[in-house]
């Protein structure tokens, strides 16, 4: 009975579509995270902190209790992920504890306990750590995961773009040092100082320093133009990689659909498997229906 409850709890916390409670748990965690992060932001305003500090303290305490219970429940329930022949109970637990999401869940509670045991710690650092709780929402929205996968798949293109960006920064900084170094030594007296200006100019279009020579003005214009070009290149790479990532997910789901319809019908287990895959890929019902029609048409068209 304990094993069955452990597996059921694991599936609910993992967002399995087999359990209606999964949806409510997901919404509860999302609401608590949003309320908590909003409280952290408002608590940084001195006037609001002075008036509502007791409320914020109470909210932080119960939020930490909620996150702690969630973390312990996940660690305990994941003991049911693998049987004795596949590594035992602690294999699933260790996978979660040292996974990115496991570390996010751990650091969601750590600031409170750090402040309890080390009350002299800088509250600003703890406030920043508490705001990291918003990363918990990435577990329930695959957009951030898709972005990381997309960047990883296009890492060579990103590496080339970063290499070009580095060259443009160093060349612009060196030219600006020689053009403006004698007129504005506090900003361009050394190449490292000029590199700071070049990075800010390339990324934002304006380095917050006005050139005083004609050569400096020309270099600043060229540097700003290079920044626009680099932004266009990086945006194109990200957009293409993200689009490819979404297309791969749709293709994988459609391939699974075709596999299901090979025998002409869909069993209950196959339907549940597709529902889990749909939830994992975050595909809409309209997208799935369109894929389903294509799979059925291809299945019926076969002799």
């Amino acid at each position: 009975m304990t094993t069955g409850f452990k597996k059921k709890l694991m599936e609910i916390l993992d967002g399995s579509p087999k359990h209606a409670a999964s949806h409510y748990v997901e919404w509860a965690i999302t609401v608590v995270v949003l309320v908590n992060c909003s409280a952290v932001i408002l608590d940084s305003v001195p006037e609001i902190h002075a008036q509502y500090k007791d409320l914020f303290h109470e909210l932080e305490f119960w939020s930490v209790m909620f996150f702690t219970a969630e973390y312990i429940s996940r660690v305990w329930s994941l003991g049911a992920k693998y049987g004795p022949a596949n590594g035992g109970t602690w294999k699933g637990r260790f996978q979660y504890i040292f996974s990115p999401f496991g570390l996010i869940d751990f650091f969601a509670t750590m600031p409170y306990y750090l402040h309890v045991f080390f009350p002299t710690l800088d509250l600003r650092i703890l406030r920043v750590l508490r705001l990291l709780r918003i990363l918990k929402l990435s577990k329930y929205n695959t957009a951030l995961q898709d972005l990381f996968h997309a960047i990883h798949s296009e890492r060579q293109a990103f590496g080339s773009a970063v290499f070009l960006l580095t060259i443009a920064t160093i060349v612009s900084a060196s030219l600006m040092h020689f053009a403006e170094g004698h007129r504005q030594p506090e900003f361009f007296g050394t190449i490292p100082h000029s590199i700071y200006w070049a990075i800010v100019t390339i990324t934002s279009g304006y380095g917050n320093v006005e050139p005083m020579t004609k050569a400096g003005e020309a270099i600043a214009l060229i540097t700003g133009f290079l920044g626009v070009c680099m932004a266009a290149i990086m945006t194109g790479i990200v957009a293409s990689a993200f689009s490819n990532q979404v297309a791969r997910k749709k293709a994988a789901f459609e391939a699974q659909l075709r596999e299901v319809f090979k025998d002409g019908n869909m069993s209950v287990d196959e339907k549940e498997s597709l529902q889990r895959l749909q939830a994992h890929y975050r595909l809409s019902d309209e997208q799935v229906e369109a894929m389903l029609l294509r799979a059925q048409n291809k299945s019926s068209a076969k002799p």
Side-chain angles (χ1 to χ4, degrees):
M1 183 176 178
T2 303
T3 304
F5 175 73
K6 191 184 295 184
K7 185 176 180 181
K8 183 177 180 180
L9 180 61
M10 177 188 71
E11 291 174 346
I12 289 173
L13 292 174
D14 199 39
S16 173
K18 292 195 298 182
H19 305 283
S22 299
H23 181 72
Y24 298 109
V25 168
E26 180 177 321
W27 270 105
I29 294 173
T30 301
V31 170
V32 172
V33 169
L34 291 176
V35 170
N36 194 267
C37 290
S38 300
V40 173
I41 294 170
L42 293 173
D43 192 33
S44 65
V45 181
E47 296 81 4
I48 298 178
H49 171 78
Q51 188 172 356
Y52 297 104
K53 60 181 179 181
D54 293 335
L55 174 62
F56 289 138
H57 179 75
E58 195 76 12
L59 180 61
E60 172 68 7
F61 172 78
W62 289 111
S63 297
V64 169
M65 295 302 104
F66 178 86
F67 293 138
T68 303
E70 180 207 354
Y71 183 76
I72 294 173
S73 298
R74 288 184 185 276
V75 172
W76 179 75
S77 64
L78 280 164
K81 188 173 184 179
Y82 298 104
N86 297 322
T89 57
W90 279 100
K91 181 179 179 180
R93 290 169 178 169
F94 281 133
Q95 280 183 350
Y96 165 71
I97 290 171
F98 296 105
S99 69
F101 289 132
L103 293 173
I104 289 171
D105 290 341
F106 173 76
F107 285 109
T109 60
M110 186 190 66
Y112 180 83
Y113 296 114
L114 278 177
H115 184 57
V116 169
F117 293 107
F118 303 99
T120 58
L121 282 177
D122 192 341
L123 289 176
R124 291 172 299 177
I125 297 175
L126 296 179
R127 188 175 290 130
V128 171
L129 290 174
R130 286 163 60 191
L131 279 174
L132 294 179
R133 292 169 185 168
I134 201 166
L135 294 176
K136 288 171 67 68
L137 299 182
S138 62
K139 189 183 302 180
Y140 308 110
N141 191 320
T142 57
L144 192 60
Q145 300 174 42
D146 289 342
L147 179 61
F148 288 148
H149 288 310
I151 291 174
H152 183 265
S153 66
E154 298 292 337
R155 57 190 179 279
Q156 291 182 334
F158 270 100
S160 300
V162 170
F163 179 68
L164 292 174
L165 181 63
T166 303
I167 292 176
T169 300
I170 293 175
V171 170
S172 296
S174 301
L175 292 174
M176 206 64 173
H177 166 66
F178 289 113
E180 294 280 331
H182 62 289
R183 298 291 298 273
Q184 302 186 74
E186 67 277 16
F187 298 117
F188 305 106
T190 65
I191 291 180
H193 280 87
S194 301
I195 286 177
Y196 172 79
W197 170 87
I199 291 173
V200 174
T201 302
I202 288 174
T203 54
S204 67
Y206 177 58
N208 205 30
V209 180
E210 292 288 344
M212 299 180 67
T213 64
K214 294 299 182 182
E217 290 176 356
I219 295 167
L221 288 173
I222 294 172
T223 304
F225 178 73
L226 286 175
V228 173
C229 293
M230 292 306 303
I233 291 172
M234 298 292 278
T235 302
I237 293 173
V238 172
S240 175
F242 197 82
S243 177
N244 291 337
Q245 179 68 16
V246 174
R248 280 194 292 267
K249 288 166 61 174
K250 290 181 179 178
F253 188 84
E254 197 159 0
Q256 186 68 25
L257 272 176
R258 288 196 296 269
E259 187 70 22
V260 167
F261 278 102
K262 272 186 176 180
D263 56 0
N265 54 39
M266 183 189 301
S267 66
V268 175
D269 290 339
E270 288 173 336
K271 186 176 181 180
E272 290 180 352
S273 176
L274 287 174
Q275 286 176 338
R276 287 194 293 270
L277 196 61
Q278 179 187 354
H280 177 69
Y281 286 161
R282 299 286 171 173
L283 297 173
S284 66
D285 292 336
E286 290 77 11
Q287 290 174 320
V288 172
E289 286 177 9
M291 295 179 194
L292 188 61
L293 286 173
R294 285 197 295 268
Q296 288 174 333
N297 291 334
K298 288 182 181 179
S299 177
S300 59
K302 289 182 180 179

Short mmCIF file of all heavy atoms in Angstrom, two decimals, residues 16-41:
data_model
loop_
_atom_site.label_atom_id
_atom_site.label_comp_id
_atom_site.label_asym_id
_atom_site.label_seq_id
_atom_site.Cartn_x
_atom_site.Cartn_y
_atom_site.Cartn_z
N SER A 16 1.26 14.10 -13.98
CA SER A 16 0.67 13.06 -14.82
C SER A 16 -0.80 13.37 -15.12
O SER A 16 -1.56 13.70 -14.21
CB SER A 16 0.76 11.69 -14.11
OG SER A 16 0.05 10.71 -14.84
N PRO A 17 -1.22 13.24 -16.39
CA PRO A 17 -2.62 13.51 -16.73
C PRO A 17 -3.57 12.44 -16.22
O PRO A 17 -4.79 12.61 -16.29
CB PRO A 17 -2.60 13.54 -18.27
CG PRO A 17 -1.41 12.73 -18.66
CD PRO A 17 -0.40 12.94 -17.57
N LYS A 18 -3.04 11.33 -15.69
CA LYS A 18 -3.90 10.28 -15.15
C LYS A 18 -4.63 10.73 -13.89
O LYS A 18 -5.65 10.17 -13.52
CB LYS A 18 -3.08 9.01 -14.83
CG LYS A 18 -2.53 8.32 -16.06
CD LYS A 18 -2.05 6.93 -15.72
CE LYS A 18 -0.92 6.95 -14.72
NZ LYS A 18 -0.41 5.60 -14.42
N HIS A 19 -4.09 11.73 -13.21
CA HIS A 19 -4.65 12.16 -11.93
C HIS A 19 -5.13 13.61 -12.05
O HIS A 19 -4.35 14.50 -12.42
CB HIS A 19 -3.61 12.04 -10.82
CG HIS A 19 -3.02 10.67 -10.70
ND1 HIS A 19 -3.69 9.62 -10.12
CD2 HIS A 19 -1.81 10.18 -11.09
CE1 HIS A 19 -2.91 8.54 -10.16
NE2 HIS A 19 -1.78 8.86 -10.74
N ALA A 20 -6.39 13.83 -11.71
CA ALA A 20 -6.93 15.19 -11.76
C ALA A 20 -6.24 16.10 -10.76
O ALA A 20 -6.14 17.32 -10.96
CB ALA A 20 -8.43 15.15 -11.48
N ALA A 21 -5.72 15.52 -9.67
CA ALA A 21 -5.06 16.32 -8.64
C ALA A 21 -3.79 16.98 -9.16
O ALA A 21 -3.35 18.00 -8.60
CB ALA A 21 -4.73 15.44 -7.43
N SER A 22 -3.19 16.42 -10.22
CA SER A 22 -1.96 17.00 -10.76
C SER A 22 -2.16 18.45 -11.18
O SER A 22 -1.31 19.31 -10.93
CB SER A 22 -1.47 16.17 -11.96
OG SER A 22 -1.18 14.86 -11.58
N HIS A 23 -3.29 18.71 -11.81
CA HIS A 23 -3.58 20.07 -12.28
C HIS A 23 -3.70 21.04 -11.11
O HIS A 23 -3.17 22.16 -11.17
CB HIS A 23 -4.89 20.04 -13.09
CG HIS A 23 -5.29 21.37 -13.64
ND1 HIS A 23 -4.63 21.98 -14.69
CD2 HIS A 23 -6.29 22.22 -13.28
CE1 HIS A 23 -5.20 23.14 -14.95
NE2 HIS A 23 -6.21 23.31 -14.11
N TYR A 24 -4.36 20.61 -10.05
CA TYR A 24 -4.56 21.48 -8.89
C TYR A 24 -3.24 21.72 -8.14
O TYR A 24 -2.99 22.82 -7.64
CB TYR A 24 -5.61 20.90 -7.97
CG TYR A 24 -6.97 20.77 -8.63
CD1 TYR A 24 -7.49 19.52 -8.95
CD2 TYR A 24 -7.71 21.90 -8.96
CE1 TYR A 24 -8.73 19.41 -9.58
CE2 TYR A 24 -8.95 21.79 -9.58
CZ TYR A 24 -9.45 20.54 -9.89
OH TYR A 24 -10.67 20.43 -10.51
N VAL A 25 -2.41 20.68 -8.06
CA VAL A 25 -1.11 20.83 -7.41
C VAL A 25 -0.24 21.81 -8.19
O VAL A 25 0.43 22.68 -7.62
CB VAL A 25 -0.40 19.46 -7.30
CG1 VAL A 25 1.06 19.63 -6.91
CG2 VAL A 25 -1.11 18.57 -6.30
N GLU A 26 -0.27 21.69 -9.51
CA GLU A 26 0.50 22.60 -10.36
C GLU A 26 0.05 24.05 -10.15
O GLU A 26 0.88 24.96 -10.01
CB GLU A 26 0.32 22.19 -11.83
CG GLU A 26 1.08 23.06 -12.81
CD GLU A 26 0.92 22.56 -14.23
OE1 GLU A 26 0.93 21.34 -14.44
OE2 GLU A 26 0.79 23.40 -15.15
N TRP A 27 -1.26 24.27 -10.12
CA TRP A 27 -1.77 25.63 -9.90
C TRP A 27 -1.45 26.14 -8.50
O TRP A 27 -1.12 27.32 -8.32
CB TRP A 27 -3.29 25.65 -10.14
CG TRP A 27 -3.64 25.96 -11.56
CD1 TRP A 27 -4.09 25.07 -12.51
CD2 TRP A 27 -3.53 27.22 -12.22
NE1 TRP A 27 -4.28 25.71 -13.71
CE2 TRP A 27 -3.95 27.04 -13.57
CE3 TRP A 27 -3.13 28.48 -11.82
CZ2 TRP A 27 -3.98 28.06 -14.49
CZ3 TRP A 27 -3.16 29.52 -12.74
CH2 TRP A 27 -3.58 29.30 -14.06
N ALA A 28 -1.52 25.27 -7.50
CA ALA A 28 -1.22 25.69 -6.13
C ALA A 28 0.23 26.15 -6.01
O ALA A 28 0.53 27.20 -5.42
CB ALA A 28 -1.48 24.54 -5.16
N ILE A 29 1.15 25.38 -6.60
CA ILE A 29 2.58 25.75 -6.55
C ILE A 29 2.81 27.05 -7.30
O ILE A 29 3.55 27.94 -6.84
CB ILE A 29 3.44 24.62 -7.13
CG1 ILE A 29 3.36 23.38 -6.24
CG2 ILE A 29 4.89 25.06 -7.27
CD1 ILE A 29 4.03 22.15 -6.82
N THR A 30 2.16 27.21 -8.45
CA THR A 30 2.31 28.43 -9.24
C THR A 30 1.84 29.66 -8.47
O THR A 30 2.52 30.70 -8.43
CB THR A 30 1.53 28.31 -10.56
OG1 THR A 30 2.01 27.19 -11.31
CG2 THR A 30 1.69 29.58 -11.39
N VAL A 31 0.67 29.55 -7.83
CA VAL A 31 0.12 30.68 -7.07
C VAL A 31 1.02 31.03 -5.89
O VAL A 31 1.32 32.21 -5.64
CB VAL A 31 -1.31 30.35 -6.58
CG1 VAL A 31 -1.78 31.39 -5.58
CG2 VAL A 31 -2.27 30.28 -7.76
N VAL A 32 1.49 30.02 -5.16
CA VAL A 32 2.36 30.28 -4.01
C VAL A 32 3.65 30.95 -4.45
O VAL A 32 4.13 31.90 -3.81
CB VAL A 32 2.65 28.96 -3.25
CG1 VAL A 32 3.70 29.21 -2.16
CG2 VAL A 32 1.37 28.42 -2.62
N VAL A 33 4.23 30.50 -5.56
CA VAL A 33 5.47 31.10 -6.07
C VAL A 33 5.25 32.56 -6.45
O VAL A 33 6.04 33.45 -6.09
CB VAL A 33 6.00 30.30 -7.27
CG1 VAL A 33 7.13 31.07 -7.96
CG2 VAL A 33 6.51 28.95 -6.84
N LEU A 34 4.17 32.84 -7.18
CA LEU A 34 3.90 34.21 -7.62
C LEU A 34 3.63 35.14 -6.44
O LEU A 34 4.14 36.27 -6.40
CB LEU A 34 2.72 34.22 -8.60
CG LEU A 34 2.97 33.57 -9.96
CD1 LEU A 34 1.70 33.56 -10.79
CD2 LEU A 34 4.08 34.30 -10.71
N VAL A 35 2.83 34.67 -5.48
CA VAL A 35 2.53 35.49 -4.30
C VAL A 35 3.80 35.74 -3.50
O VAL A 35 4.06 36.86 -3.03
CB VAL A 35 1.46 34.80 -3.42
CG1 VAL A 35 1.33 35.50 -2.07
CG2 VAL A 35 0.13 34.78 -4.14
N ASN A 36 4.61 34.69 -3.35
CA ASN A 36 5.84 34.82 -2.57
C ASN A 36 6.82 35.79 -3.21
O ASN A 36 7.40 36.65 -2.53
CB ASN A 36 6.48 33.44 -2.40
CG ASN A 36 7.55 33.42 -1.35
OD1 ASN A 36 8.71 33.60 -1.65
ND2 ASN A 36 7.15 33.21 -0.10
N CYS A 37 7.02 35.68 -4.53
CA CYS A 37 7.95 36.58 -5.22
C CYS A 37 7.43 38.01 -5.20
O CYS A 37 8.23 38.95 -5.06
CB CYS A 37 8.16 36.10 -6.65
SG CYS A 37 9.09 34.56 -6.79
N SER A 38 6.13 38.20 -5.32
CA SER A 38 5.55 39.54 -5.23
C SER A 38 5.80 40.14 -3.85
O SER A 38 6.12 41.33 -3.71
CB SER A 38 4.05 39.50 -5.52
OG SER A 38 3.80 39.00 -6.81
N ALA A 39 5.67 39.31 -2.81
CA ALA A 39 5.92 39.78 -1.45
C ALA A 39 7.37 40.17 -1.25
O ALA A 39 7.67 41.17 -0.58
CB ALA A 39 5.51 38.69 -0.45
N VAL A 40 8.29 39.40 -1.82
CA VAL A 40 9.72 39.72 -1.70
C VAL A 40 10.01 41.07 -2.35
O VAL A 40 10.76 41.90 -1.82
CB VAL A 40 10.57 38.61 -2.36
CG1 VAL A 40 12.04 39.03 -2.39
CG2 VAL A 40 10.43 37.31 -1.58
N ILE A 41 9.41 41.32 -3.52
CA ILE A 41 9.63 42.58 -4.23
C ILE A 41 9.06 43.75 -3.43
O ILE A 41 9.72 44.79 -3.25
CB ILE A 41 8.99 42.51 -5.63
CG1 ILE A 41 9.73 41.48 -6.49
CG2 ILE A 41 9.02 43.89 -6.31
CD1 ILE A 41 9.03 41.17 -7.80
#
